């Protein structure tokens, strides 16, 4: 038994979709969340910059006594996980590997679509893990750089002409390619599930990265007898690098519940 919290970070609010899954799968666990809202988005930046930011994010989380860290960000998981693991004694979980495995399990026609940030697509990490699971799958990748800013600005609803237009523009080649499985390779994208699902149609399975890492972490903690005692729901604490009010205004959409816990601001450049 281990009641220490789990540290979770993302470039912004997208990682909260991962926390939502953690709350479902591991309701007794406490979470320290850092959203780098002052520097979001990461997905168009160079690997060097993403790595620098990710190191600072981990250094901040390590100022708390944690039992594990979850990189709730496809971009950092793709670009920097090996390096962060090499530098860190705590176990670090990323979203890419479990999500890639799940997509390969789900596809029936062997054609998988991947949407993610530019940095994630450029890293080739998803392709690598999918081909490790099955060399024969065909992967069609499309970077979707406008999705993160639109999601961070709350433009996620069906009927919103802006998001509907951008979704149709980005996803048309995937529809044409006949993919039967689509990886939402960025933790912001589950907020677009309805719009994306409506465009792709009911026969395309959408794979959400937050859900897969939550199950992987649950198995890991259970095997090591490191689950919390489960006596009460976990206590969370949210940290951001920009406006706390901005976080409060939007976070409940990502979490699927009101945000009642404390929200504090961090000077992330000092880490
Ligand atoms: N949620 C991050 C991801 O999963 C967003 C990337 C960004 O900041 O551009 O990739």
């Amino acid at each position: 038994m281990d009641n220490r919290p789990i540290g979770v970070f993302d470039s912004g609010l997208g990682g909260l979709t991962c926390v939502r899954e953690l709350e479902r799968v591991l309701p007794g666990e406490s979470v320290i969340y850092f959203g780098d809202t002052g520097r979001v988005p990461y997905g168009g930046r160079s690997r060097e910059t993403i790595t620098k930011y990710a190191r600072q994010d981990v250094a901040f989380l390590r100022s708390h006594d944690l039992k594990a860290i979850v990189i709730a960000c496809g971009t950092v998981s793709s670009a920097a996980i090996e390096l962060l693991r090499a530098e860190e004694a705590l176990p670090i979980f990323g979203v890419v590997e479990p999500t890639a495995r799940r997509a390969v399990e789900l596809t029936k026609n062997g054609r998988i679509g991947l949407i993610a940030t530019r940095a994630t697509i450029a890293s080739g990490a998803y392709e690598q893990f999918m081909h490790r699971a099955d060399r024969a799958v065909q992967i069609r990748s499309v970077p979707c750089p406008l999705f993160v800013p639109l999601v961070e600005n709350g433009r996620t609803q069906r009927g919103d002409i802006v998001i509907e237009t951008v979704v149709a523009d980005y996803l048309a080649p995937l529809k044409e390619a006949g993919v039967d499985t689509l990886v939402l390779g960025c933790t912001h994208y589950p907020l677009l599930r309805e719009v994306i699902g409506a465009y792709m149609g009911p026969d395309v399975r959408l794979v959400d990265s937050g859900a897969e890492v939550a199950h992987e972490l649950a198995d890991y903690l259970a095997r090591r007898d490191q689950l919390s005692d489960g006596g009460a729901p976990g206590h969370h604490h949210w940290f951001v690098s920009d406006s706390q009010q901005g976080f409060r205004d939007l976070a409940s959409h990502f979490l699927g519940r009101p945000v009642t816990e404390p929200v504090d601001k961090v000077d992330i450049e000092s880490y």
Side-chain angles (χ1 to χ4, degrees):
M1 193 183 73
D2 187 339
N3 283 338
R4 288 179 300 169
I6 298 159
V8 180
F9 75 96
D10 178 41
S11 57
L13 300 173
L16 296 174
T17 62
C18 192
V19 175
R20 186 178 64 199
E21 296 301 326
L22 284 172
E23 288 183 347
R24 217 167 43 80
V25 177
L26 293 166
E29 300 296 333
S30 298
V31 167
I32 304 285
Y33 182 88
F34 175 64
D36 197 359
T37 51
R39 302 190 296 193
V40 70
Y42 285 8
R45 299 184 194 274
S46 66
R47 188 183 283 258
E48 290 68 34
T49 302
I50 294 166
T51 303
K52 176 187 152 197
Y53 288 177
R55 279 186 166 132
Q56 290 176 313
D57 302 343
V58 169
F60 163 69
L61 286 176
R62 289 293 265 144
S63 63
H64 298 83
D65 185 19
L66 307 170
K67 60 181 168 187
I69 291 177
V70 175
I71 307 174
C73 176
T75 305
V76 175
S77 300
S78 301
I81 193 167
E82 291 312 330
L83 198 133
L84 296 174
R85 278 180 175 154
E87 292 175 351
E88 187 48 61
L90 277 179
I92 298 189
F93 294 82
V95 290
V96 173
E97 194 172 351
T99 309
R101 272 202 308 264
R102 181 79 183 130
V104 171
E105 277 163 25
L106 285 175
T107 183
K108 294 205 165 58
N109 71 4
R111 273 177 265 162
I112 299 174
L114 167 67
I115 53 173
T117 65
R118 281 210 173 96
T120 297
I121 303 281
S123 77
Y126 268 103
E127 283 89 342
Q128 189 190 322
F129 285 115
M130 286 195 245
H131 280 146
R132 198 175 284 176
D134 181 350
R135 289 208 63 78
V137 290
Q138 292 171 24
I139 303 154
R140 182 74 196 261
S141 312
V142 177
C144 302
L146 291 176
F147 279 178
V148 169
L150 286 170
V151 169
E152 292 266 335
N153 284 284
R155 306 299 293 265
T156 59
Q157 303 300 314
R158 277 190 78 183
D160 178 325
I161 182 78
V162 176
I163 194 63
E164 297 266 9
T165 306
V166 175
V167 163
D169 188 54
Y170 283 149
L171 302 192
L174 298 174
K175 207 171 183 177
E176 211 159 287
V179 303
D180 72 349
T181 304
L182 177 60
V183 176
L184 308 183
C186 167
T187 52
H188 282 70
Y189 298 177
L191 271 283
L192 300 175
R193 186 173 254 280
E194 262 194 55
V195 186
I196 291 172
Y199 180 78
M200 293 304 287
D203 297 335
V204 176
R205 302 284 297 266
L206 305 183
V207 189
D208 171 351
S209 43
E212 304 312 319
V213 74
H215 288 292
E216 192 182 43
L217 177 62
D219 286 349
Y220 175 90
L221 294 176
R223 272 201 315 275
R224 304 184 139 234
D225 196 20
Q226 271 193 296
L227 291 166
S228 71
D229 64 13
H235 299 290
H236 296 357
H237 198 147
W238 314 108
F239 294 90
V240 288
S241 52
D242 198 16
S243 152
Q244 288 131 284
Q245 192 53 45
F247 179 88
R248 285 192 181 282
D249 290 344
L250 274 180
S252 57
H253 296 297
F254 288 78
L255 275 176
R257 66 167 178 81
V259 175
T260 51
E261 302 88 350
V263 183
D264 283 310
K265 191 166 172 187
V266 178
D267 175 12
I268 195 64
E269 293 288 356
S270 67
Y271 285 86

